[in-house]
Amino acid sequence: VPAGSRGSRAQVTAEQLRARGNALFQAGDPGAALAAYTEALSLGTSAPERAVLHRNRAACYLKLEDYAKAEADATKAIEADGRDVKALFRRSQALQQLGRLDQAISDLQRCLSLEPRNKVFQEALRALGSSMHEKMKTMSYTDSKVEQMFQILLDPEEKDVDKKQKAVQNLIVLAREEAGAEKIFQSDGVRLLTQLLDTAKADLMLAALRTLVGLCSGHRSRTMAILAELGAPRLSAVLGVEHDQVSLAACNLLHVMFDSLKEGLQKDFRGKEDAVVLDSSRDLKLLIKHLLELLVLEGASAHGRDNALNLLIKVVPRKSPKETNNSMSLWVIDQGLKKILEVGSTVCGSPSSLPVTENSRMSASVLLSKLYEDLKCDAERENFHHLCEDYVRSWFEGHELLGKLRAIQTVSCLLQGPSDAGNRVLELEGIMDSVLSLCASVCETHQLVAVEALIHAADKAKRASFITANGVSLLKEIYKHSERDSIRIRALVGLCKLGSAGGTDFSMKQFAEGSTMKLAKQCRKWLCNEAIDTGTRRWAVEGLAYLTFDADVKEEFVEDKAAMQAMFHLAKSEDRSVLYAIASTLVNCTNSYDHEEPDPQMLELAKYAKQHIPEQHPKDKPEFVKRRVRKLLMAGVVSALACVVKSENPALTNSCRELISRVFLALVEEAEDRGGVVAQGGGKALIPLSLEGTEVGQTKAAQALAKITITSNPEIAFPGERIYEVVRPLVSLLHLQRTGLENFEGLMALTNLAGISERLRQKILKERAVPMIEGYMFEEHELIRLAATECMCNMAMSKEVQELFLAEGSDRLKLMVLYSGEEDEKLRRAASGTLAMLTSLHPAICKRIPQVTVHWLEILQALLLSPSAELQHRGAVVVMNMMAAEREVAEQLIASEMLEILSVLAKDKDKP
């Protein structure tokens, strides 16, 4: 029920408003109570009454966690009456939260001197005293403590493991606080941390790296000083160590350092710091130069190489096209493109190949793609192409067989990343012929490289027809006659890619009837075979990503629970290059790709012209899709996708995120499935998907969040602070370029949130949603208009929104009065509820209602005569408030038939 049905007293005086505020506060609505107390203050009351109102507002601000305003209001109450213990106690609570412990203690001591036996004050003082004591103790002992911790850690004779562990923890915790970090820095900490790094002991290195993260976080000048002392070569060497955790911790430290240094470039600084700060671009380039060198350093570990690639992906390209400066990407292409291609062209198992993981080549592709996307003009792109072509030629010409393999592997890497560049190098003389001839090689490694290149080339439009002509028969031969599963599975994927050219069009079959099903069955068999290595099983999913365009294949796949769970298990594995294929398969199974209904007239024309007409498979009808979604949910699809989203990985590209968002939207289509999706972590996973990625992906994720928010209790679906993160994605659904359904669901979800608390309403206001909500109140579509009015009704509990209705020259109030007289009962209920609340809180609005429309009386009478008790109640509240507001308005009401109507309603025993 919209909040506007609350009652009101017959006389709205400051005392009545205070009483109303007290009742609202007791009912757990500090935001509305605050509005009542504030209005009471505006009525010009006596000094003692004002003191009480300020004291009460302080209590509201404490509940709303606005401690600065709580302190200010409590101080005003104390200025009026220095013996007001409630105000003193509330100010002490605010001061404590603001970190001013000494002042908080002083207020509490004053409270106790006034009420010595008060147990609450005694307990609060004891607790505050001990935390103050701890703070003082910490401050006075920090110097010696820092020295002591380093002594314990650097002493080779110290054998007490627990003691060392404790020292490590203390150091890391201390570095997280600004005061502690500065203390460590001033106490020669960086030199001592360098010594810890140089011990080459994993536990001490981790302690040093994690402490340095605290020292560098958000502090440019300290970061620059630390970088100068440690040196980029040392940091790069630590990143390249064999120990996984140490390498990852070094990666985290470097990321924090990049962020701190970049801040110096983005902000306009004034004053003495200029000379130091604005030269951080030199330090950034130095760090990036060492990361690029690490990529080709033979002694660097495979994990270190991956971490370096991941860092470059995060810190080099522009975060948004709005940033105009892409000089860092240009510099990296100039200095390091060939080094990145060295990783991408690595042939595992060949002599002198770099140590890489199963993710390295994929990460190199993602980085190349990001760099290429960051280019702004044709000249920059042409330079990128030339560098790639020169690199491929350098391996292809004069390096015998290994050189040809490296060249072909580079082509694969580029086709998976910036495919334009991949297509260009594929056109180079001799490349395609070498791919086809090596497909028949007797050496497994050579054949793998060639078949993979052929597969990656198969779905790039430029080469598809050439490969269909030359590659299909070759791939069929390999599939039928090869004795190696690793080769057969890849050949099968190539066939799948070439066979899926018709997409979801049922009438365009590439293969003979039934052969698609045979291929899919073989893919599922390989997928479930744990004896085959993960890298090879990944290709089985690649095959299914293409074969599941066929609805018969989708149906068989969701019936095979073992295959689904094997795929979900792969999603959680170390090899992240499989993510896109998994997401594509799920999009196909849930039919969550874009499909437009063809125009019937165009269909007739196409038939007349004997053109091809796409046909939908009978098993792609809604009832089949719904059943497939249920099967996927039962097999655990949500927890697998949530796990994928949670892991920060380059393979989780924006296009991959979009596919996952599409799947989530399909999973929450049915209201009864939403609770299960939330319980398995779907709600939590959707928030990052709605805030980052392609525009389509963000919108799909936001719409899924809206569906959950509409039918679930938002406080349970998004517990704690998470509920505030949902607001921005929901507001994005109100933008004009979104569809009517997205607008409607966004409004419905925001209505639910706005009814929960003042803090959520403030968040919605902060996201500038109110003008958009108002816009939709004029929408022609009645459901959107209703949703916007209901949303505004709940938003009107906020003082800022109430002030909009009081503004001179605004038609907001007129619209609410007119909507209260519409035929649609739900719209009347929302509009009259808003009026009931506004007239309860603001007498000025009561006076303005007769001025906004000549039909005001008949609208109010129609509410009171409505068969709906809810509408009658709202009407009665509005009339009661108007009677109390001003004599002139009251006379107009009594002069009409209102008295007669009220007399009849007053006697109705069925509606107390």
Side-chain angles (χ1 to χ4, degrees):
V1 177
S5 59
R6 289 197 187 107
S8 155
R9 303 275 178 130
Q11 267 190 319
V12 185
T13 61
E15 195 179 331
Q16 298 294 348
L17 282 165
R18 179 158 67 87
R20 183 179 300 143
N22 294 349
L24 289 165
F25 188 83
Q26 293 295 330
D29 195 345
L34 181 66
Y37 296 140
T38 305
E39 193 181 344
L41 275 169
S42 69
L43 295 178
T45 55
S46 66
E49 279 182 347
R50 292 180 71 79
V52 173
L53 288 165
H54 280 300
R55 184 178 74 196
N56 291 0
R57 286 208 325 176
C60 294
Y61 282 127
L62 283 171
K63 286 280 186 194
L64 296 168
E65 296 176 18
D66 191 338
Y67 302 115
K69 285 184 181 170
E71 186 220 347
D73 261 318
T75 301
K76 283 177 185 169
I78 294 161
E79 282 167 2
D81 178 5
R83 299 174 64 80
D84 187 339
V85 286
K86 283 187 181 177
L88 282 162
F89 184 60
R90 281 166 197 169
R91 187 168 72 174
S92 78
Q93 289 176 296
L95 289 165
Q96 188 177 350
Q97 293 296 335
L98 293 167
R100 285 144 65 188
L101 302 188
D102 49 343
Q103 289 169 275
I105 283 179
S106 172
D107 276 353
L108 271 176
Q109 286 169 338
R110 178 93 178 110
C111 287
L112 264 175
S113 71
L114 293 165
E115 290 185 18
R117 293 186 178 178
N118 189 312
K119 291 274 196 295
V120 176
F121 297 163
Q122 288 170 2
E123 193 49 50
L125 187 61
R126 194 176 300 120
L128 196 52
S130 62
S131 64
M132 181 72 174
H133 179 67
E134 281 302 310
K135 190 177 179 184
M136 297 299 288
K137 208 162 89 178
T138 305
M139 285 170 73
S140 56
Y141 288 120
T142 299
D143 285 352
S144 57
K145 213 171 170 187
V146 169
E147 208 175 306
Q148 203 180 348
M149 287 187 279
F150 280 118
Q151 273 177 1
I152 294 166
L153 294 173
L154 290 167
D155 183 0
E157 303 299 313
E158 182 60 72
K159 297 287 185 269
D160 188 336
V161 179
D162 286 345
K163 203 172 176 183
K164 282 198 164 188
Q165 197 60 47
K166 203 170 179 185
V168 163
Q169 279 308 112
N170 287 343
L171 204 57
I172 295 166
V173 169
L174 194 64
R176 284 181 191 149
E177 296 288 332
E178 175 51 33
E182 192 57 29
K183 237 7 155 209
I184 294 171
F185 184 71
Q186 297 296 348
S187 309
D188 199 21
V190 181
R191 185 181 61 80
L192 297 166
L193 288 166
T194 309
Q195 286 179 29
L196 286 179
L197 279 178
D198 292 344
T199 59
K201 291 179 182 172
D203 55 341
L204 296 180
M205 291 175 83
L206 282 169
L209 291 164
R210 287 168 184 166
T211 306
L212 284 164
V213 164
L215 266 60
C216 294
S217 289
H219 206 294
R220 271 179 316 282
S221 51
R222 250 197 331 246
T223 300
M224 292 178 77
I226 288 167
L227 184 57
E229 188 149 345
L230 282 174
R234 182 188 267 108
L235 285 168
S236 173
V238 176
L239 184 67
V241 298
E242 283 293 342
H243 195 287
D244 295 358
Q245 278 187 301
V246 172
S247 177
L248 196 61
C251 178
N252 187 28
L253 169 61
L254 282 162
H255 195 192
V256 166
M257 291 178 109
F258 273 115
D259 283 349
S260 296
L261 292 170
K262 270 190 164 182
E263 259 179 52
L265 292 180
Q266 287 160 357
K267 290 181 182 171
D268 183 18
F269 286 98
R270 302 274 184 273
K272 292 177 186 173
E273 258 196 320
D274 273 18
V276 185
V277 174
L278 289 179
D279 201 22
S280 58
S281 60
R282 193 173 53 83
D283 286 328
L284 278 167
K285 283 187 175 175
L286 183 67
L287 279 174
I288 289 171
K289 178 172 169 281
H290 282 282
L291 287 178
L292 292 167
E293 283 170 5
L294 179 74
L295 296 180
V296 291
L297 194 69
E298 284 184 19
S301 68
H303 284 288
R305 199 165 272 107
D306 277 6
N307 287 331
L309 285 166
N310 295 353
L311 255 177
L312 290 165
I313 290 167
K314 285 174 186 169
V315 301
V316 174
R318 290 172 294 167
K319 288 275 187 288
S320 144
K322 289 175 188 169
E323 290 174 36
T324 52
N325 186 357
N326 70 340
S327 60
M328 197 60 86
S329 287
L330 295 175
W331 187 80
V332 167
I333 289 166
D334 190 43
Q335 299 289 314
L337 184 68
K338 292 188 177 179
K339 293 183 174 79
I340 300 163
L341 289 170
E342 280 289 305
V343 181
S345 68
T346 301
V347 177
C348 295
S350 66
S352 73
S353 69
L354 292 167
V356 289
T357 70
E358 58 268 37
N359 293 311
S360 304
R361 288 209 306 276
M362 184 64 180
S363 295
S365 293
V366 172
L367 176 55
L368 290 165
S369 184
K370 293 262 186 193
L371 291 170
Y372 189 76
E373 285 165 14
D374 208 31
L375 301 177
K376 294 197 289 190
C377 63
D378 288 345
E380 290 174 1
R381 283 185 275 273
E382 204 52 44
N383 176 51
F384 188 96
H385 290 311
H386 283 313
L387 288 168
C388 292
E389 286 167 11
D390 289 348
Y391 181 82
V392 170
R393 279 199 203 94
S394 72
W395 275 112
F396 196 72
E397 294 161 10
H399 273 90
E400 303 300 325
L401 183 60
L402 179 62
K404 286 186 170 50
L405 285 171
R406 290 290 295 266
I408 292 168
Q409 193 77 299
T410 309
V411 173
S412 283
C413 175
L414 288 166
L415 284 168
Q416 287 179 89
S419 55
D420 287 353
N423 274 320
R424 281 276 291 262
V425 291
L426 205 55
E427 303 287 328
L428 293 176
E429 192 181 342
I431 294 284
M432 203 64 220
D433 296 334
S434 294
V435 171
L436 293 171
S437 64
L438 279 169
C439 278
S441 168
V442 289
C443 170
E444 183 178 7
T445 307
H446 302 171
Q447 201 176 9
L448 279 177
V449 170
V451 172
E452 282 186 21
L454 191 62
I455 293 165
H456 293 311
D459 60 348
K460 305 301 169 201
K462 275 191 178 179
R463 307 297 304 175
S465 54
F466 172 81
I467 291 162
T468 308
N470 297 276
V472 172
S473 55
L474 178 63
L475 288 169
K476 278 185 179 172
E477 278 300 302
I478 294 170
Y479 179 61
K480 284 178 185 168
H481 300 117
S482 176
E483 291 172 13
R484 303 185 191 104
D485 274 350
S486 59
I487 300 291
R488 287 186 68 219
I489 203 165
R490 285 163 171 80
L492 180 144
V493 172
L495 289 169
C496 294
K497 276 193 177 188
L498 295 168
S500 68
T504 56
D505 182 358
F506 179 48
S507 57
M508 271 187 76
K509 289 284 183 186
Q510 299 291 314
F511 295 148
E513 193 66 46
S515 58
T516 305
M517 299 298 286
K518 280 182 196 164
L519 291 175
K521 192 174 180 182
Q522 185 60 57
C523 275
R524 297 203 314 272
K525 191 174 159 190
W526 273 322
L527 178 58
C528 295
N529 185 353
E530 290 186 16
I532 301 174
D533 69 282
T534 310
T536 301
R537 285 165 68 210
R538 165 172 82 81
W539 285 95
V541 186
E542 293 271 357
L544 286 169
Y546 289 92
L547 293 169
T548 46
F549 280 126
D550 186 314
D552 288 316
V553 174
K554 301 179 201 185
E555 287 293 312
E556 279 205 357
F557 178 67
V558 297
E559 291 300 330
D560 188 343
K561 196 169 181 183
M564 284 193 288
Q565 288 180 336
M567 186 171 85
F568 299 154
H569 188 69
L570 273 183
K572 299 171 185 176
S573 70
E574 283 293 307
D575 184 355
R576 293 294 168 159
S577 49
V578 72
L579 296 185
Y580 193 85
I582 290 172
S584 300
T585 305
L586 291 171
V587 163
N588 291 341
C589 288
T590 56
N591 284 34
S592 47
Y593 38 72
D594 290 327
H595 39 80
E596 286 180 23
E597 291 299 319
D599 180 349
Q601 283 184 312
M602 295 307 289
L603 279 180
E604 288 306 313
L605 283 171
K607 279 181 193 168
Y608 181 74
K610 294 186 178 167
Q611 286 181 345
H612 170 70
I613 301 161
E615 288 176 32
Q616 188 191 37
H617 195 294
K619 288 181 183 172
D620 271 334
K621 288 181 176 161
E623 60 269 27
F624 284 92
V625 177
K626 192 173 168 182
R627 199 160 57 237
R628 288 201 291 267
V629 166
R630 283 276 155 82
K631 292 269 170 67
L632 287 165
L633 285 166
M634 284 160 67
V637 65
V638 175
S639 55
L641 290 179
C643 182
V644 165
V645 174
K646 196 166 62 179
S647 67
E648 279 287 313
N649 195 278
L652 193 65
T653 56
N654 285 345
S655 47
C656 188
R657 294 170 82 94
E658 182 187 314
L659 294 180
I660 294 170
S661 297
R662 287 176 180 274
V663 175
F664 267 125
L665 184 55
L667 296 176
V668 298
E669 186 58 41
E670 299 297 321
E672 61 264 34
D673 296 332
R674 292 170 196 168
V677 170
V678 169
Q680 292 174 53
K684 185 179 179 182
L686 278 164
I687 294 171
L689 289 171
S690 67
L691 295 170
E692 191 183 332
T694 65
E695 193 174 346
V696 172
Q698 287 184 29
T699 305
K700 301 277 181 197
Q703 198 183 353
L705 283 171
K707 286 180 187 287
I708 290 169
T709 311
I710 291 165
T711 54
S712 314
N713 178 345
E715 290 174 287
I716 293 171
F718 310 106
E721 292 297 302
R722 205 174 296 155
I723 195 167
Y724 302 100
E725 294 175 52
V726 177
V727 173
R728 182 172 295 169
L730 294 180
V731 172
S732 74
L733 294 175
L734 305 189
H735 294 152
L736 289 172
Q737 64 268 39
R738 303 283 174 260
T739 64
L741 178 63
E742 287 161 359
N743 297 155
F744 174 68
E745 289 183 331
L747 288 164
M748 293 265 286
L750 287 168
T751 302
N752 267 3
L753 292 185
I756 291 172
S757 73
E758 179 59 22
R759 192 173 160 205
L760 272 166
R761 290 191 286 276
Q762 288 298 326
K763 176 72 175 160
I764 295 168
L765 276 163
K766 197 175 171 187
E767 293 295 338
R768 300 189 176 92
V770 170
M772 290 189 272
I773 298 167
E774 283 186 328
Y776 288 113
M777 286 175 70
F778 293 94
E779 180 68 41
E780 281 183 31
H781 195 292
E782 58 192 38
L783 284 174
I784 295 178
R785 190 171 66 224
L786 169 65
T789 308
E790 286 181 336
C791 192
M792 185 55 79
C793 175
N794 281 353
M795 284 303 294
M797 287 188 262
S798 277
K799 188 186 168 205
E800 289 87 341
V801 179
Q802 292 161 20
E803 284 168 357
L804 296 175
F805 284 91
L806 287 163
E808 288 298 324
S810 149
D811 281 339
R812 295 182 182 94
L813 185 60
K814 180 179 180 178
L815 190 65
M816 281 297 177
V817 175
L818 292 174
Y819 277 0
S820 299
E822 284 281 310
E823 284 181 17
D824 180 347
E825 190 181 315
K826 285 183 179 173
L827 183 63
R828 288 176 79 191
R829 198 160 60 203
S832 57
T834 311
L835 283 182
M837 180 171 57
L838 290 171
T839 54
S840 296
L841 294 170
H842 297 281
I845 283 178
C846 300
K847 298 169 195 172
R848 283 188 59 196
I849 287 175
Q851 297 161 19
V852 294
T853 171
V854 293
H855 304 293
W856 68 279
L857 258 174
E858 59 194 79
I859 289 169
L860 289 178
Q861 288 172 1
L863 284 173
L864 289 168
L865 293 168
S866 163
S868 159
E870 286 188 67
L871 288 178
Q872 286 181 308
H873 183 205
R874 285 160 172 69
V877 170
V878 175
V879 173
M880 177 171 75
N881 292 336
M882 289 176 74
M883 289 288 289
E886 193 177 59
R887 185 179 180 88
E888 192 185 330
V889 177
E891 283 172 351
Q892 283 176 277
L893 285 164
I894 295 302
S896 70
E897 293 151 22
M898 195 62 78
L899 186 60
E900 198 180 323
I901 297 168
L902 290 169
S903 302
V904 173
L905 288 179
K907 292 171 190 166
D908 191 342
K909 288 177 183 158
D910 295 333
K911 297 175 183 172

